[in-house]
Amino acid sequence: AQSVTQLGSHVSVSEGALVLLRCNYSSSVPPYLFWYVQYPNQGLQLLLKYTSAATLVKGINGFEAEFKKSETSFHLTKPSAHMSDAAEYFCAVSYTGRRALTFGSGTRLQVQP
Amino acid sequence: EPEVTQTPSHQVTQMGQEVILRCVPISNHLYFYWYRQILGQKVEFLVSFYNNEISEKSEIFDDQFSVERPDGSNFTLKIRSTKLEDSAMYFCASSLGQLNQPQHFGDGTRLSIL
């Protein structure tokens, strides 16, 4: 079955430190890949998307993600964490020919002062 | 920026009752979706809808569920006879036509079945 794996259900970083949230997908054909963020009591907000145009994708709020086909990965990074980045982050994939998004289990990012 | 709106934000219903969750997708979007997130679990796809028809559905979307676009703006999810395990956050989303276009989500309706 096609799946999305997010390593680490909780990640804690210090303010100003690098943020790295991991996402791996299972498919021999590169899917469309998305990162969403969910703040408390809010919906899912699109951070960025990969749709085969460029392997390094820049999103909102200083986040970016790199698609690596050889590693079937789409990890999310931000050079310097801000307190306002504390939220839950979801990697999502739509596989070939399908619109349904398959979500990872999410990573809760905590930013320490 | 246009957004997807969902009502109500919280719905409490007795087990066995019918419930209708409402969504207003972004106006120029063509595809509409429902997802659910049971507390502590992954966000799961339920159904997608295009041109007044279901275009894709998951195994979760059984006969107790139905979707409808009753007018030009609303998109609804009906659960016919609710069960305790239907308690979840239900998200509506919409997207443009192309497969690579992202889905835009509403803030969700928290459904609590008593």
Side-chain angles (χ1 to χ4, degrees), chain A residues 3-37:
Chain A
S3 63
V4 181
T5 303
Q6 289 184 243
L7 276 177
S9 58
H10 289 83
V11 169
S12 182
V13 300
S14 299
E15 193 173 17
L18 171 72
V19 175
L20 171 60
L21 304 181
R22 299 177 188 274
C23 173
N24 288 87
Y25 63 91
S26 64
S27 174
S28 57
V29 177
Y32 296 126
L33 295 146
F34 307 88
W35 275 98
Y36 286 88
V37 61

Side-chain angles (χ1 to χ4, degrees), chain A residues 4 32 34 36 38 42-44 46 49 51 90 97-101 103-105, chain B residues 31 33 35 37 42-43 45 56 91 96-103 105-107:
Chain A
V4 181
Y32 296 126
F34 307 88
Y36 286 88
Q38 186 179 32
Q42 293 187 27
L44 298 160
L46 180 71
K49 64 176 185 179
T51 57
F90 293 92
R98 298 187 65 209
R99 295 181 185 276
L101 289 176
F103 281 83
S105 52
Chain B
Y31 283 83
Y33 312 83
Y35 291 80
Q37 184 180 29
K42 291 184 180 185
V43 177
F45 169 76
E56 195 177 346
F91 291 107
L96 292 167
Q98 296 84 358
L99 272 171
N100 63 356
Q101 291 296 319
Q103 294 173 27
F105 285 78
D107 284 345

Side-chain angles (χ1 to χ4, degrees), chain B residues 2-52:
Chain B
E3 57 182 29
V4 175
T5 57
Q6 291 186 243
T7 54
S9 56
H10 192 189
Q11 173 82 44
V12 181
T13 301
Q14 292 289 330
M15 186 173 59
Q17 296 296 304
E18 175 182 286
V19 66
I20 297 176
L21 309 182
R22 302 180 191 279
C23 169
V24 178
I26 295 173
S27 61
N28 63 333
H29 284 186
L30 301 177
Y31 283 83
F32 315 120
Y33 312 83
W34 285 101
Y35 291 80
R36 79 173 184 190
Q37 184 180 29
I38 295 171
L39 188 63
Q41 298 186 25
K42 291 184 180 185
V43 177
E44 301 173 290
F45 169 76
L46 294 178
V47 65
S48 63
F49 191 84
Y50 169 73
N51 199 25
N52 282 318

Side-chain angles (χ1 to χ4, degrees), chain A:
Chain A
Q2 294 164 331
S3 63
V4 181
T5 303
Q6 289 184 243
L7 276 177
S9 58
H10 289 83
V11 169
S12 182
V13 300
S14 299
E15 193 173 17
L18 171 72
V19 175
L20 171 60
L21 304 181
R22 299 177 188 274
C23 173
N24 288 87
Y25 63 91
S26 64
S27 174
S28 57
V29 177
Y32 296 126
L33 295 146
F34 307 88
W35 275 98
Y36 286 88
V37 61
Q38 186 179 32
Y39 297 101
N41 301 314
Q42 293 187 27
L44 298 160
Q45 182 182 359
L46 180 71
L47 271 179
L48 49 81
K49 64 176 185 179
Y50 168 77
T51 57
S52 76
T55 56
L56 184 62
V57 181
K58 293 190 185 299
I60 62 171
N61 302 338
F63 284 93
E64 59 184 37
E66 186 173 9
F67 172 71
K68 290 187 177 180
K69 184 179 177 182
S70 60
E71 298 177 8
T72 60
S73 70
F74 190 56
H75 301 332
L76 182 71
T77 60
K78 181 173 181 177
S80 176
H82 193 272
M83 296 296 290
S84 61
D85 295 326
E88 186 146 24
Y89 292 79
F90 293 92
C91 181
V93 172
S94 66
Y95 287 101
T96 305
R98 298 187 65 209
R99 295 181 185 276
L101 289 176
T102 300
F103 281 83
S105 52
T107 298
R108 186 166 298 279
L109 176 66
Q110 194 174 21
V111 182
Q112 306 283 359

Side-chain angles (χ1 to χ4, degrees), chain B residues 79-93:
Chain B
I79 308 175
R80 224 175 310 280
S81 177
T82 50
K83 299 179 280 207
L84 292 175
E85 53 265 37
D86 293 327
S87 295
M89 181 73 89
Y90 288 81
F91 291 107
C92 175

